[in-house]
Amino acid sequence: MRKVMIIGAVGAGKSTLVKALMGEQEAAVKTQSLVFHDWLIDTPGEYSENPLYYRSLMATSHQAAAILLIQDATRDRNYFPPGFSGGFPIPAIGAVTKIDHPKADPDRAVSLLRSSLPQGEILLTSAAGGEGIAELKELLLGMMNR
Ligand SMILES: Nc1nc2c(ncn2[C@@H]2O[C@H](COP(=O)(O)OP(=O)(O)OP(=O)(O)O)[C@@H](O)[C@H]2O)c(=O)[nH]1
Ligand SMILES: [Mg+2]
């Protein structure tokens, strides 16, 4: 079964979101390499921040059904280049993380992410509070079963 590959900056909340989507509670630790879970592929933030790793992301995407681009609601910059999602051979959607955070600005996060994801839904989520997790899971599972 082809999985969903999750990409985004260092500390954006990818691994915490992966755990929330899989119904796990414990805290995430720093991701050091590609990690293949049941239906998700977690990636280190360095792979999204450093263009030297883009080839690795592209290669791995051939084993995936969909890409999930992550934008941290507390950050004021975008770590993906413009139009990034269009370079992958599979469909992509986006998720904004940490909307529970006091410094979160979800509207800013959506517009930052939109420049790298010209098409595809963007969901607002919080792994801490649970907002948007069930909706995101449903959407991703639907993309895998197409
Ligand atoms: N407030 C809040 N903090 C969160 C949330 N999700 C993640 N965090 C925090 O963000 C930090 C980074 O989380 P990770 O899930 O390890 O981030 P990552 O994107 O996997 O980072 P790398 O593995 O380094 O690429 C941790 O301190 C988390 O506790 C959330 O929903 N709300
Ligand atoms: Mg991680």
Side-chain angles (χ1 to χ4, degrees):
M1 181 182 63
R2 293 196 301 151
K3 304 173 194 277
V4 172
M5 183 170 80
I6 181 166
I7 64 175
V10 173
K14 298 177 298 297
S15 300
T16 306
L17 183 61
V18 164
K19 285 182 181 287
L21 288 166
M22 297 193 310
E24 294 173 9
Q25 302 288 330
E26 74 271 26
V29 294
K30 166 87 199 135
T31 309
Q32 305 284 2
S33 61
L34 292 172
V35 182
F36 289 73
H37 295 280
D38 179 35
W39 61 274
L40 290 154
I41 306 170
D42 195 5
T43 63
E46 288 79 2
Y47 281 38
S48 295
E49 291 193 18
N50 187 337
L52 285 173
Y53 291 106
Y54 288 175
R55 278 171 163 277
S56 178
L57 290 181
M58 292 299 165
T60 307
S61 73
H62 287 278
Q63 303 172 52
I67 306 279
L68 177 62
L69 275 74
I70 299 300
Q71 173 69 42
D72 182 336
T74 69
R75 302 274 176 88
D76 62 2
R77 60 162 288 210
N78 177 344
Y79 291 82
F80 302 117
F84 193 51
S85 68
F88 290 95
I90 50 179
I93 63 166
V96 171
T97 53
K98 311 187 192 179
I99 62 163
D100 64 280
H101 196 285
K103 294 209 170 81
D105 184 341
D107 292 340
R108 175 184 64 192
V110 168
S111 46
L112 287 169
L113 187 51
R114 186 50 82 196
S115 75
S116 304
L117 180 73
Q119 278 138 33
E121 248 183 279
I122 297 179
L123 278 78
L124 302 182
T125 72
S126 165
E131 291 92 341
I133 301 299
E135 294 82 353
L136 179 60
K137 183 171 181 176
E138 194 184 327
L139 190 58
L140 291 172
L141 292 176
M143 293 173 85
M144 290 170 66
N145 292 325
R146 265 208 303 259

